[in-house]
Amino acid sequence: MKIAGSVALVTGANRGLGRAYTRELVGRGAAKVYGAARQPGQVTEPGVVPIALDITDPRRVGEVAAECADVSLLVNNAGVMKASTFIDAPSLDAARTEMETNYFGTLSMCRAFAPVLAANGGGAVVNMLSVTSFYTNPFNASYGASKAAAWSLTNGVRLELHHQGTLVVAVHAGFIDTDMAALVDAPKVSPESVAKMAFDAVEAGQIEVLVGERTRTIKASLSRDHELIYPPVQEFWDAAIQGSH
Ligand SMILES: NC(=O)c1ccc[n+]([C@@H]2O[C@H](COP(=O)([O-])OP(=O)(O)OC[C@H]3O[C@@H](n4cnc5c(N)ncnc54)[C@H](OP(=O)(O)O)[C@@H]3O)[C@@H](O)[C@H]2O)c1
């Protein structure tokens, strides 16, 4: 689909990648860009229409789908990352917040906007995922679980919506230079470059975007993940079994 002339809605549009998404949409000539945010007063990008939305509030998600019935491009960008492990985390709070936002929030948006997109000719959905959809990093283990769940939902929603002409694009990225990765000392890509790749994919009808060499290598390694991606836990168990004989 063409971005020029489309009507787009971006979640988490007040900062970081969401803000870059809205700027890129305006730059490509979108007819209208809704910037959805928990604090809509923080949506200050020129040409963007602020909308109040917490994606974990199903009632408000339904209202926004009714208020923004002209949307033809939905960008599910909003997300949280609590840098939490599975076992040592003090409670399930971080894991639940990540799952509520990154999985259930995204699912809720897809369900509410599916009929809107159908009514507007099919359109497209962009789901903002991660390299951690593909593997678990102990640094942000429960976040990875939520992005793996969101990857699964993205594949399923694509299957369920292709008959109505809706393109569903998965964008997987490693570290992006935003608040979310502020504490990480590692190479990061710019949010602007991610936005460009995502909308190039929308315009080309491409269903998956793998941002960066590391993301592409990890995805390509999945069939041998325990050998190529994870530290050698299998060798530990092989040695332990040998030692017990
Ligand atoms: N940064 C990275 O390294 C990286 C890598 C791969 C993927 N991603 C993904 O990229 C997306 C954007 O992240 P970012 O890097 O821009 O992070 P960010 O700077 O922390 O921004 C996160 C955005 O999501 C919003 N948000 C969080 N919970 C929400 C909710 N319940 N309802 C509505 N909005 C909510 C935040 O709003 P508030 O201002 O109200 O908190 C903020 O606008 C996320 O899905 C993230 O998982 C990021």
Side-chain angles (χ1 to χ4, degrees), residues 55-56 78-80 96-107:
I55 62 166
T56 65
V80 288
R96 285 195 197 283
T97 300
E98 289 163 337
M99 206 53 99
E100 271 305 326
T101 310
N102 303 344
Y103 174 68
F104 285 110
T106 302
L107 175 57

Side-chain angles (χ1 to χ4, degrees), residues 214-234:
R214 183 165 160 273
T215 303
R216 288 189 283 276
T217 302
I218 295 274
K219 176 91 194 283
S221 305
L222 280 179
S223 64
R224 291 165 60 203
D225 53 349
H226 295 294
E227 196 184 329
L228 298 176
I229 300 176
Y230 290 103
V233 174
Q234 185 64 58

Side-chain angles (χ1 to χ4, degrees), residues 105-136:
T106 302
L107 175 57
S108 179
M109 289 295 291
C110 289
R111 287 167 55 87
F113 275 88
V116 173
L117 297 171
N120 294 320
V125 177
V126 173
N127 282 351
M128 191 56 216
L129 305 172
S130 165
V131 65
T132 65
S133 314
F134 303 137
Y135 84 112
T136 302

Side-chain angles (χ1 to χ4, degrees), residues 139-156:
F139 155 69
N140 56 13
S142 53
Y143 169 78
S146 72
K147 289 295 185 181
W151 177 33
S152 176
L153 107 75
T154 302
N155 288 329

